[in-house]
Amino acid sequence: MTQQELAEQTGMTKQTISRYANNSHVMSYQAALNIAKKLNCQMEDLYEIFTE
């Protein structure tokens, strides 16, 4: 899934998703929950994905 697709599916902007991916912005609990649901993973997994 591209950042653009994830943004569209979560109601966020591509810029916001990019900031999370580049670790230049900290995800809120709600944002992490929304992204995890769309990626079918645990919220904890996101922090590993975005920090690797």
Side-chain angles (χ1 to χ4, degrees):
M1 176 180 301
T2 66
Q3 288 183 1
Q4 182 63 44
E5 291 168 335
L6 182 58
E8 290 169 2
Q9 290 185 23
T10 58
M12 300 177 196
T13 65
K14 181 183 177 287
Q15 182 179 21
T16 297
I17 300 296
S18 179
R19 286 179 179 164
Y20 294 152
N22 292 321
N23 293 315
S24 63
H25 195 77
V26 177
M27 280 184 276
S28 69
Y29 176 85
Q30 190 61 47
L33 183 61
N34 289 340
I35 292 171
K37 284 182 181 179
K38 294 299 177 184
L39 295 178
N40 196 30
C41 67
Q42 298 294 316
M43 287 182 2
E44 295 83 8
D45 297 335
L46 295 177
Y47 294 98
E48 293 174 15
I49 292 169
F50 289 133
T51 58
E52 291 181 345

